[in-house]
Amino acid sequence: YPACMQETCGDRLPKFTAKERKLLKCSSDFIGINSYSSNFVVPARQPPKGAGYWSDIGVAWWHTDSRWERTDMGWPVVPWGFRELLIYLHEQYRAPCGIIVTEKGWAL
């Protein structure tokens, strides 16, 4: 696990034996991604209650630009945010069979 993940999640992360780590390393053929929008984030002013994803990310995240186009559901339409996500995933993981967008839709 990356150091930031170990620091944030601690004992909640699964433990693997050396043999399991060897089997898992570079074992993904592709990255499947569901993505609907992008948002700006700012550091959380106070830690959320409880443990899990929302407290682990440590940010207040539903910040958008009022000039962005919106879907009928009110979600921001941010093509450059999706591009940045794909570039990050590609550069970070280099999945042999690429990235497959399994969901990228919203009501218009």
Side-chain angles (χ1 to χ4, degrees):
Y1 299 106
C4 63
M5 189 179 216
Q6 291 176 34
E7 189 176 304
T8 301
C9 301
D11 293 338
R12 289 183 289 131
L13 293 172
K15 307 278 189 264
F16 297 101
T17 65
K19 184 178 180 181
E20 289 170 328
R21 284 193 301 274
K22 185 176 179 184
L23 283 170
L24 287 170
K25 189 168 179 137
C26 299
S27 64
S28 295
D29 292 330
F30 68 92
I31 295 171
I33 183 170
N34 294 1
S35 178
Y36 304 96
S37 190
S38 297
N39 297 285
F40 293 121
V41 298
V42 295
R45 291 185 183 157
Q46 59 188 34
K49 295 178 181 168
Y53 176 76
W54 296 112
S55 62
D56 289 348
I57 62 174
V59 297
W61 67 280
W62 202 255
H63 298 278
T64 62
D65 187 319
S66 61
R67 297 170 292 180
W68 292 347
E69 182 181 351
R70 300 284 176 151
T71 68
D72 287 346
M73 295 176 69
W75 298 350
V77 177
V78 193
W80 59 263
F82 188 56
R83 181 188 67 236
E84 293 299 316
L85 173 62
L86 293 174
I87 290 169
Y88 172 82
L89 292 171
H90 173 71
E91 290 176 351
Q92 196 70 21
Y93 299 103
R94 303 278 183 189
C97 296
I99 299 168
I100 297 174
V101 178
T102 52
E103 230 171 278
K104 180 62 179 157
W106 46 140
L108 296 174

